[in-house]
Structures are given as C-alpha cells and as structure tokens.
Amino acid sequence: MKAHPQDFIPTMQTEVAKTDQITFMNQVGAIFGYLSSACLAQMEDPLKAREQSIAIRENTLNNLPFLLEEFERNAVQNGIEVLWAADAAEACSIIKDLVVKHDVHLITKGKSMISEEIDLNHYLQEELGVKIFEGDLGELIVQMRGIPPFHIVGPAINLNVQQIAQTLVDNIGMEYTENAGEIAGHVRNFLRQQFAGADMGITGVNVAIASTGSIVLAENEGNIRWSTSAPRVHVAIMSLEKVAANLTDGLHILEMQSRSCTGQGITSYVSVLSGPRDEGERDGPEKMYVVILDNGRSQIYQDTFLRQALKCIRCGRCGTACPIYLTAGAYPYGWCYPGPMGTILSPLLLGLDDTYHVYEACTLCGGCESVCPAGIKHVELIHRYRAMKAEGDKNFKATKNPALERNAFKGWATAVKNPVLFRNSVNMIRYFLGSRQEGYASSLPGPLKSWSDHRDLPVAEKTFHRYWAELQNNMESARREAAAQLDKKGGLDNE
Ligand code: SF4
C-alpha cells in the first residue's frame, strides 16, 4: 500500500467520528487481549518464555550480519536463490524480472506485511498487468474493495457481513448470502481455482533459520501452503531482521507470536520450507527465491539504541493495549504497520517528518511495552524520535522544529526549573487567559489555536500553588484557634 502517514490528522478525524467502530475496536482489544493473556499464562513459565524471546531477538540483532550470511549460504545449498534488495523499488524490480523470466500470468499471495510495505501488488499490476489474488480471505476482501487492511490478522475485521457479501457478489459472482459457512465455501471454490492455475506464489517470511537455510511460515487458513506448493515458482520476501540462529529459536519466536497475537498455542499450519521440489517429489515449486529486503533497516541498525525497533516480531499484541489504536483503528497510521508497531517502525522507515503525527499522538502510557514479547522500550524510542525531530536528523529525515517552537520549549524548561519564574509565568498566563474569556478559554491565539479548536480550557480561579498556600494558612489558623480555645479551657486534661 502507498504510505500516507502525513494524512494522520484528517484520517483520525474521520475515524473517531465512527462511534460504532470505536465500540467494536474496544471489544476487539478486550477479546484479543484476554485470549493472548490467557494463552501466555498457560505456558510453563510465562516470564521465562518472554525473557527467552527477548534474548533470541537480541541475539539476532547482535549477530545479524553473520546470521544473514549463514542463512544465505545454507539456503543456496538447499537450491534456493537468495536475492538482496536495498529498497522497495529494487525489491519490486527483482520480482518483476522473475515474473517476466518465468512467464507468469497469475500470482497467488500469502498475507504479508512486507509485500504491503513495498506496495508490490500495485506495482506488478501497473507494470505487467498480471493477475494477483490474495489467498487469505480477509486480505482478498480488502483487495477487492481497494482498501487497506484494518488489522494484522483480521484485515477485514471492521466490515460487516452485508459489506463482505456484497463485495463477493460484485467480484466473484457469488449469489448473495449472509451465511458465513456458505460465504467461506464460495471463496474456497474461487481461490482453489486460482491456486490451481497460478504460475507463481508470493509469501512473506515469519522467521528465516540461519543454521538450516529454511524459512518458516505460519497461518490459519492453509492458503499459504497452496501458494508455496501449487505454483511453479515460489518467491518469499523477508525483511533482513527476520532471521533466527536455529530452528529452536525460530519456533520459540513463532510460538510467542501466535500466543501474543491470536491467543493460540501455535497457528493451525506451520510450514518449514527448505528448498524447491526435489527430483521425484510430487509437490512444491520448481524454483524458489528468497528476496531479502533492507529498505532503511541497515541505517537503523547503525544506531545501537534505535536498532531495538528491529526486534519487533509483528505479533500485534501492543495494539490491544494502545488507547490511540483502540480508538482510531489502523487507518490513521497510513501504512501497513498499525498501532504501536507502526509508531515505532514507520518513523524510522519512512522518516520523522512524514510520520510526525504518528509518534506525536502517542500518550506515552507504556501499555504497549508492558506486553511486548520482544522487550521493545516503546516510550524511550518515542521520546528519542521527538528529540530527533526537535533537533533535526539527516539520517531519519527530520527537519528541525521551527525556532519559535524550540525556543518556547526551552523557555518552558527554564521556567519549570525555577519556582519563582514558574509561578510568575503561570500567573501571567492565567491573567492573559482570564482576561480573554470568562470561565473557559475556548479560542487560543497562534500555534495554540489548533489545540483550542477542539477543546475548552477551564481557567482555574487560582493556581494550585496559591490554593495550597491558602489551604496551609487556613489549617494553621484553625490549629492556632483550637490551641487558644484549649488554653482558655485549661487544656484537655481538665475537661
Ligand atoms: S512492538 Fe512488540 S508487541 Fe508490538 S507487534 Fe512488535 S513485538 Fe509485538
């Protein structure tokens, strides 16, 4: 999908007006949150399991160049062709060449965020006019409607049954029905025809295993197995941080991903693919390719603090703990990574200027990091993005904040460190606000206008400091008065 995080505010305004959607999102958050908490709690030692997944991801980052080389060596030995793409354009162009080389006319796909990241479907359709069908039911529905996925495991979870039925009537000639079983049956028949006729299957990669040169794919519908075994050619795309040292590590990550995401001990299907079809084998592709995508990740990797963002295993658990995501849904994030996952990844991959509102909208409540199985420190990262934006950063496309804003914050920082200055400044602001509007300041000047356009600021009668000082004085007077009364009566003992 085309990235448009710059539209965060208008999209947010549209989304928060959908009150039914907010209720629904809160239910989704509560249900997935409950399922994953219950499923993680069933592990023999949930804390140890989390520590282990954090350690595995740290090991991957600490040894990333070596693990990638090891993966490539072993994959090539298995007969897989490994191709490296520096950015989205190169990845798309590599896959386009493969489509041409293998005379591909029909492609089926497994649901994959990385293909959304490089906007592969549009590219191949525009450049070559090939037919591409998503194999995942929800993804197929959003593809047919031309809208972005709403949720990482439920791309069409925000659509009602009537909308889904009508989409299928319009696109695959299904007879209108609202019966879920019948709908699934129609889609199954339709997709099986596509799988049977496809020349190429394209998937993502959940984990790549360095020691065996294999890729591991997890799913619940079986469509990925179709895409990886029926067509002549299989192309898997992975971002370069998706590697694990060995199968034990990789499967632990997969387990944590499914427990944290859908609350399943493991997804219904797990495929470990170690190469194309061997001579004499009936199933599997004749050719298998793995495209390893950088797309800005090497730049992130250079910074030993920022690189923790690459630990993300795309489980989506953080979304169930995020008040912004649960209110506005996925669309305002404007890219394939919604919720806190997008808040930490998109600014580094797309640049801090374009994603300004994504990380500025964060409340810094820390709900996300308290549940993250990869141990990412979201709050510290977001603080860092804001600091980088304030000061400007060439590597991550951040233009320095305007001098007025920087000076205003510097002034504020000086004032809050000095009690006298702070009190006088607050009194001045109060005087200014109070003299403009009575009771409420509903229209503030200059850069504060966009804030007051949506909120009224109650102007307190007195500052907290004054209230506190008066309270102390009153208490002191009351104490003195009580003591004087006691003196007059000759003290407590004489009562
Ligand atoms: S940031 Fe953490 S919780 Fe969120 S998707 Fe990534 S690994 Fe999962």
Side-chain angles (χ1 to χ4, degrees):
M1 67 187 279
K2 295 245 181 301
H4 56 98
Q6 309 89 331
D7 300 336
F8 186 90
I9 288 190
T11 316
M12 173 69 87
Q13 282 166 342
T14 310
E15 295 304 299
V16 294
K18 299 175 185 168
T19 45
D20 287 352
Q21 182 175 290
I22 296 176
T23 310
F24 173 69
M25 278 305 290
N26 277 293
Q27 287 165 352
V28 167
I31 293 167
F32 276 119
Y34 168 75
L35 287 175
S36 70
S37 299
C39 191
L40 287 160
Q42 282 166 4
M43 297 181 91
E44 204 179 307
D45 188 341
L47 283 179
K48 202 165 155 209
R50 182 168 184 254
E51 277 165 17
Q52 202 180 333
S53 59
I54 294 171
I56 291 170
R57 292 306 292 148
E58 278 169 2
N59 179 53
T60 286
L61 291 188
N62 292 340
N63 299 290
L64 190 56
F66 312 107
L67 291 176
L68 284 169
E69 277 171 20
E70 188 185 351
F71 169 75
E72 180 180 31
R73 219 172 25 250
N74 290 325
V76 169
Q77 224 164 45
N78 296 340
I80 299 172
E81 203 167 313
V82 177
L83 302 157
W84 297 80
D87 54 23
E90 193 179 3
C92 284
S93 154
I94 287 173
I95 296 166
K96 176 183 149 193
D97 291 347
L98 295 177
V99 168
V100 174
K101 178 176 165 189
H102 290 285
D103 192 23
V104 170
H105 299 279
L106 176 59
I107 298 172
T108 55
K109 278 188 65 230
K111 183 157 64 60
S112 123
M113 285 181 168
I114 200 77
S115 72
E116 293 284 348
E117 179 179 322
I118 61 175
D119 201 20
L120 184 67
N121 287 15
H122 288 129
Y123 176 85
L124 290 181
Q125 275 162 347
E126 277 165 24
E127 291 284 314
L128 300 173
V130 283
K131 277 195 199 158
I132 305 179
F133 288 103
E134 292 289 344
D136 175 273
L137 172 56
E139 202 72 32
L140 180 71
I141 291 163
V142 297
Q143 183 193 20
M144 287 171 170
R145 290 178 72 91
I147 55 171
F150 188 77
H151 187 271
I152 57 164
V153 284
I157 202 169
N158 57 329
L159 301 177
N160 60 35
V161 69
Q162 291 81 8
Q163 291 170 305
I164 290 169
Q166 197 54 51
T167 307
L168 297 170
V169 169
D170 296 342
N171 289 278
I172 64 169
M174 181 186 86
E175 212 168 287
Y176 189 89
T177 172
E178 293 179 10
N179 180 301
E182 287 176 21
I183 291 176
H186 280 291
V187 176
R188 184 188 297 122
N189 289 339
F190 171 78
L191 279 176
R192 288 197 171 183
Q193 286 166 24
Q194 313 312 318
F195 291 131
D199 311 292
M200 178 183 275
I202 298 181
T203 66
V205 172
N206 286 86
V207 195
I209 310 299
S211 63
T212 61
S214 320
I215 59 165
V216 186
L217 291 162
E219 55 166 330
N220 279 315
E221 295 179 15
N223 65 88
I224 290 183
R225 286 226 171 137
W226 272 103
S227 284
T228 58
S229 55
R232 289 181 283 120
V233 185
H234 173 206
V235 179
I237 318 162
M238 63 175 260
S239 50
L240 51 75
E241 77 278 16
K242 285 283 190 94
V243 67
N246 52 52
L247 198 55
T248 311
D249 283 0
L251 291 181
H252 184 73
I253 291 299
L254 214 62
E255 182 182 355
M256 291 302 280
Q257 191 186 40
S258 28
R259 285 183 186 270
S260 305
C261 183
T262 47
Q264 294 169 283
I266 197 74
T267 52
S268 307
Y269 301 91
V270 174
S271 307
V272 182
L273 305 175
S274 303
R277 180 201 308 185
D278 259 344
E279 252 177 63
E281 284 182 342
R282 281 180 51 201
D283 298 316
E286 292 158 18
K287 281 294 287 176
M288 182 173 168
Y289 299 90
V290 174
V291 179
I292 301 181
L293 177 72
D294 186 322
N295 213 20
R297 288 164 175 88
S298 295
Q299 180 76 59
I300 301 170
Y301 190 72
Q302 303 299 318
D303 187 306
T304 50
F305 177 77
L306 295 178
R307 78 162 60 151
Q308 62 171 304
L310 299 177
K311 289 201 288 182
C312 177
I313 60 170
R314 317 284 193 273
C315 66
R317 178 76 169 93
C318 46
T320 63
C322 175
I324 306 296
Y325 175 68
L326 292 180
T327 303
Y331 294 162
Y333 293 86
W335 208 27
C336 49
Y337 301 115
M341 179 201 320
T343 309
I344 55 157
L345 286 172
S346 301
L348 298 178
L349 295 172
L350 297 173
L352 289 154
D353 281 347
D354 284 349
T355 53
Y356 178 73
H357 293 296
V358 174
Y359 55 89
E360 279 296 318
C362 176
T363 61
L364 303 176
C365 68
C368 45
E369 68 180 44
S370 69
V371 294
C372 175
I376 296 171
K377 300 279 178 222
H378 295 67
V379 173
E380 286 176 19
L381 271 172
I382 293 163
H383 274 307
R384 173 78 183 273
Y385 299 167
R386 292 178 181 177
M388 286 159 74
K389 173 71 184 112
E391 294 305 325
D393 190 291
K394 252 199 342 271
N395 293 333
F396 294 99
K397 299 180 201 152
T399 320
K400 228 179 204 189
N401 281 348
L404 181 67
E405 187 177 329
R406 277 181 291 122
N407 290 335
F409 277 106
K410 273 184 193 150
W412 177 254
T414 311
V416 293
K417 284 185 220 156
N418 180 324
V420 177
L421 196 55
F422 178 76
R423 234 166 280 155
N424 289 339
S425 316
V426 170
N427 281 336
M428 248 172 63
I429 294 169
R430 285 195 62 261
Y431 175 78
F432 178 65
L433 290 178
S435 65
R436 284 171 60 82
Q437 282 115 151
E438 270 181 24
Y440 283 89
S442 49
S443 152
L444 297 175
L448 299 176
K449 185 177 177 313
S450 60
W451 191 90
S452 65
D453 278 351
H454 301 280
R455 311 164 187 83
D456 290 334
L457 178 69
V459 181
E461 275 174 31
K462 52 187 89 160
T463 64
F464 178 74
H465 277 107
R466 205 168 121 203
Y467 164 80
W468 186 251
E470 284 176 7
L471 187 71
Q472 298 293 311
N473 282 342
N474 291 345
M475 283 169 66
E476 182 57 23
S477 312
R479 196 189 63 74
R480 282 207 193 112
E481 203 174 309
Q485 294 285 344
L486 278 176
D487 274 352
K488 259 195 224 158
K489 288 182 186 169
L492 279 173
D493 289 343
N494 298 337
E495 270 188 357

